[in-house]
Amino acid sequence: MCSLLSRSLTSPTSSAALFSRGRNIASPSRGISKYSTAVAIENPVDPPVEVKHTQLLINGQFVDAASGKSFPTLDPRTGDVIAHVAEGDAEDINRAVAAARKAFDEGPWPKITAYERQRILLRFADLIEKHNDELAALETWDNGKPYEQSAKLEVPMLTRLMRYYAGWADKIHGLTVPADGPYHVQTLHEPIGVAGQVIPWNFPLLMFGWKVGPALACGNTIVLKTAEQTPLSALFAANLLHEAGLPPGVLNVISGFGPAAGAALASHMDVDKFAFTGSTRTGQFVHELASRSNLKPVSLELGGKSPFIVCEDADIDKAVELAHYALFFNQGQCCCAGSRTFVHERVYDEFVEKSKARALKRAVGDPFLKGIEQGPQRLRYGYNAKDEIFGPVQSIFKYKDLDEVIRRANATHYGLAAGIFTENLDTANTLTRALRVGSVWVNCFNIFDATIPMGGYKMSGHGREKGIYSLENYLQVKAVVTPLKNPAWL
């Protein structure tokens, strides 16, 4: 096996806590270190955006935390404080849930027409498009990812996603069902109620959209907790949603830490559904909290250790580039990253040498500069081959035949995604059906269209994000049966 570690910038981080670190699940006892082969950023580019929202959003108003506390969110390039953000805790979760409960039970959100919900979401999408560069700058400033990625890829994806779910708002309906007797039977697809949602730090805006879009389209109200490392862009986007006409209390956004705010949301007796994206370990914990409270349904999008399989017929140069993208996209901080690269023994040596050369050419620096592929990043060390590293580490393994690579690719408790690089249709068909994962990309990777479902097998979670299947997370089905007298037909 060959392991490749990209160059990375160092960055101080906030206090480690449950619900933090996204998917980074290394045991603290293994040790933590910072590593860099890049020159420190001494004169960082000034981000072209003003921080406007740092308070909690409850019942349509930006307010301070009940405790009056705040915490710093840091520029990962320098460790400098960007802003102090309100630190929500259990009391703020209670306030937000009460607002969401009232907005659901008394209206107006589930009681207005689906067409009007659609119009609000479409206006929101227009506002995202209008403020594309501001949102992208906040995302990069708070997260450290390349600005070009934020501005040209992720914010436009959020715009597309919201238009997709706006289109669903007036197309959610039930069925009429034939019964064995004189009965009229219909099914209703109803909003589930108050949805609690927790999103991670690696894709703050996209995860905001993946959670909020389907929940609102279905007529639910929301209490969303941001990641403590990256609270700024969600607050900005939530304000745009209200500018688009969202009624007060429908979307409430709490910034804060896991043990105080996240756990309170997962275990709240008045939250009807809980959705979480993050590490598998934390996913197990929140699932337990949800079941111990009111047995609320939970959807989980968790960790991954995705195989990328390079077959013997591969064009090596193309395979190297795609495998590099599969792993290094978003600095390796991607749940479905192709972190286990399996290469056929006939092309293994050439692939390793060219992959090493490609990694060493990776452009590292200030993420606001044009052409930068890799911004600031922190390294934890001490993993073994089965851990989700969640960073720019490419492990390259040699295999002999399909039976071997299928067995090894499936030999993990994760099952989020996989990639296949081959020109042989039979090989592709064999692998796509044999791999125990929720997504398989053939001769491509990281395709995140709004229409394509995303989710995992095994301990990568359950439920699906995006596409039509995500609507199931936020709906419940009711059967209504009425006797028929003298029916003309059955």
Side-chain angles (χ1 to χ4, degrees), residues 36-148:
S36 176
T37 60
V39 177
I41 299 176
E42 296 181 355
N43 297 301
V45 174
D46 290 333
V49 65
E50 177 187 353
V51 177
K52 298 178 180 178
H53 307 293
T54 60
Q55 295 173 293
L56 312 178
L57 178 61
I58 299 176
N59 202 29
Q61 300 293 322
F62 284 102
V63 296
D64 291 333
S67 67
K69 292 181 180 179
S70 64
F71 65 93
T73 186
L74 306 178
D75 185 338
R77 302 173 299 168
T78 62
D80 294 340
V81 175
I82 300 173
H84 286 85
V85 180
E87 183 179 333
D89 58 19
E91 177 58 30
D92 301 296
I93 292 293
N94 288 338
R95 290 195 291 163
V97 171
R101 182 86 268 159
K102 183 177 180 180
F104 184 80
D105 290 345
E106 301 179 16
W109 192 244
K111 296 183 180 180
I112 66 174
T113 66
Y115 176 56
E116 183 58 29
R117 289 201 298 272
Q118 179 186 87
R119 293 178 64 197
I120 291 171
L121 292 176
L122 287 173
R123 287 196 293 267
F124 176 44
D126 290 343
L127 287 169
I128 296 170
E129 195 167 53
K130 177 181 177 181
H131 293 275
N132 183 98
D133 294 350
E134 291 172 90
L135 282 163
L138 274 180
E139 193 82 332
T140 291
W141 195 6
D142 216 10
N143 173 278
K145 66 178 62 194
Y147 175 75
E148 289 182 325

Side-chain angles (χ1 to χ4, degrees), residues 308-314 316 319-320 323 341-344 347 351 399 419-422:
F308 184 92
I309 299 172
V310 179
C311 299
E312 59 182 310
D313 63 346
I316 296 303
V320 164
T341 307
F342 292 94
V343 182
H344 194 275
V347 294
F351 185 93
Y399 76 92
I420 301 167
F421 196 94
T422 182

